[in-house]
Amino acid sequence: MTVGTSGSSDPESRETDDDPAPPGDHGGRQSLRDRLNHWDVRYSPYLYIAPFFIIFAIVGLFPLLYTSYVSLFDWSLVADEPVFIGLDNYVELMGDARFWQAMVNTLSIFILSTAPQLVMALLFAVLLDAHLRARTTFRVALLLPYVASLVALGIIFGNLFNQEYGLINGVLGLVGIDPIDWHANRFLSHVAIASMVNWRWTGYNALIILAAMQAIPRDLYEAATVDGAGRWRRFISVTLPMLRPTMIFVVITATVGGLQIFTEPKLFAEVPGSNNGGSTGQFQTVTLFMYQQGFENFELGYASATAWILFLVIVIFALINFWITRRISTTEDPR
């Protein structure tokens, strides 16, 4: 008996031969609908996030790159043509005593405002996380300075720290301290401006930390309590490590904002709106100096070089604060 070659006795071969073709597979080719579905799955996520990057490229990246281009020119609004001078603006800036004075002022105000602000924000968040009556009222009260007009805030603080009739000097006079000229003294003017920054931003940061604090699973606190941990130990070993991402965010945003401080010293001046930062520049910040160079002296190249140096300083301080925050928050974290 002869067995035909076209019929196979192997069950696996018969099963393979009988399998239906996959949907849309027309002899190894995909239909248009299948190709559209494939492209939709593969490329549509990029289209969804594309608007953000397009807007960022227009309003963020392009100005940044164009500023670096302008900083290489002697670019004055009153000149006919900008002249390419390479890195001369940066060299001149490094030897400019006014720039270094503004940089020291900026760092001084930044330290006086950021460090107390974050500590107070953390303390307020801990207090609001406790079982208090009228907690919502306290939270709204903390946020009020943030929603208040910054111009009004500047006028109020300018009057509070006025040498002749300010409330601060009035209170100090009750304990026998002579009136202080808050505008003339370099360090005290930094303290006054830092108090404005702290007043405005402490509540805002406290609510961010509070939101993160309330998202911590309560099981962790219960387990720590069962293990014999007290309130302070639970705060150090549970709360702070769990707040690490939020604290890093708050520290970095506070660093970026603190080093770009502009409105507060501008409104604190005895002549509100002045860019001089006092009669001798005692509280002129880098952003005020940059604005003065660009829009009072019309030296756009020099102002652009100042902007780039400030940008690099902010990046360096943000990285340092990021590293310090990670180190502090992971000290007690066993992971």
Side-chain angles (χ1 to χ4, degrees):
M1 183 177 179
T2 304
V3 179
T5 56
S6 59
S8 172
S9 60
D10 186 356
E12 294 184 0
S13 300
R14 286 201 302 271
E15 184 179 348
T16 303
D17 294 341
D18 294 340
D19 280 346
D25 186 1
H26 305 288
R29 293 179 304 171
Q30 288 185 323
S31 66
L32 176 60
R33 181 176 181 180
D34 291 330
R35 287 199 296 270
L36 290 176
N37 287 335
H38 174 71
W39 292 341
D40 179 37
V41 172
R42 187 168 184 178
Y43 298 113
S44 58
Y46 297 102
L47 293 178
Y48 296 149
I49 62 174
F52 165 77
F53 289 100
I54 293 173
I55 294 174
F56 170 75
I58 295 174
V59 303
L61 187 60
F62 172 74
L64 187 67
L65 298 177
Y66 190 68
T67 301
S68 68
Y69 171 76
V70 174
S71 69
L72 303 178
F73 288 83
D74 181 9
W75 197 310
S76 175
L77 287 179
V78 296
D80 295 333
E81 293 289 339
V83 179
F84 180 77
I85 56 174
L87 299 176
D88 286 358
N89 279 327
Y90 293 93
V91 174
E92 183 180 351
L93 194 63
M94 292 299 100
D96 192 337
R98 298 171 302 165
F99 169 74
W100 289 113
Q101 183 187 32
M103 181 62 74
V104 172
N105 293 341
T106 302
L107 296 178
S108 174
I109 296 172
F110 162 69
I111 294 172
L112 289 172
S113 60
T114 303
Q117 178 189 140
L118 296 179
V119 172
M120 287 190 295
L122 185 60
L123 291 177
F124 280 129
V126 172
L127 291 175
L128 291 176
D129 193 42
H131 297 288
L132 296 175
R133 291 183 177 178
R135 283 182 295 179
T136 303
T137 303
F138 286 117
R139 294 172 186 175
V140 173
L142 273 180
L143 199 59
L144 281 179
Y146 176 71
V147 301
S149 167
L150 187 55
V151 175
L153 186 66
I155 295 173
I156 291 172
F157 273 79
N159 284 287
L160 284 176
F161 287 100
N162 188 282
Q163 183 183 4
E164 300 296 332
Y165 51 84
L167 177 63
I168 304 298
N169 278 343
V171 174
L172 294 177
L174 295 177
V175 293
I177 300 177
D178 294 332
I180 298 173
D181 191 348
W182 296 92
H183 291 83
N185 185 286
R186 187 179 187 186
F187 177 74
L188 294 179
S189 65
H190 297 176
V191 173
I193 294 171
S195 67
M196 298 170 61
V197 179
N198 290 331
W199 173 265
R200 187 161 190 257
W201 290 100
T202 298
Y204 174 82
N205 288 325
L207 292 184
I208 292 178
I209 297 173
L210 175 64
M213 197 174 287
Q214 293 188 333
I216 298 175
R218 298 296 162 179
D219 295 348
L220 297 178
Y221 292 109
E222 295 173 1
T225 304
V226 171
D227 290 341
R231 181 172 297 180
W232 174 251
R233 188 64 186 175
R234 292 198 299 270
F235 177 74
I236 296 297
S237 300
V238 178
T239 305
L240 280 184
M242 297 299 291
L243 287 178
R244 181 177 57 186
T246 305
M247 291 301 295
I248 291 174
F249 168 78
V250 171
V251 167
I252 290 180
T253 53
T255 302
V256 173
L259 291 174
Q260 295 185 85
I261 185 168
F262 175 79
T263 309
E264 287 85 352
K266 192 176 178 68
L267 294 175
F268 183 72
E270 291 180 307
V271 181
S274 170
N275 299 315
N276 296 323
S279 56
T280 59
Q282 63 269 24
F283 54 89
Q284 185 185 47
T285 59
V286 175
T287 49
L288 276 179
F289 175 78
M290 176 182 66
Y291 185 87
Q292 187 179 47
Q293 297 303 317
F295 300 101
E296 277 189 13
N297 302 334
F298 305 117
E299 297 292 344
L300 298 184
Y302 199 62
S304 299
T306 308
W308 257 93
I309 294 297
L310 177 61
F311 171 72
L312 295 177
V313 170
I314 291 173
V315 171
I316 291 172
F317 270 84
L319 291 176
I320 292 174
N321 282 340
F322 174 75
W323 179 79
I324 292 175
T325 308
R326 282 184 64 91
R327 292 282 297 178
I328 293 175
S329 58
T330 57
T331 300
E332 299 292 335
D333 190 355
R335 288 174 295 179

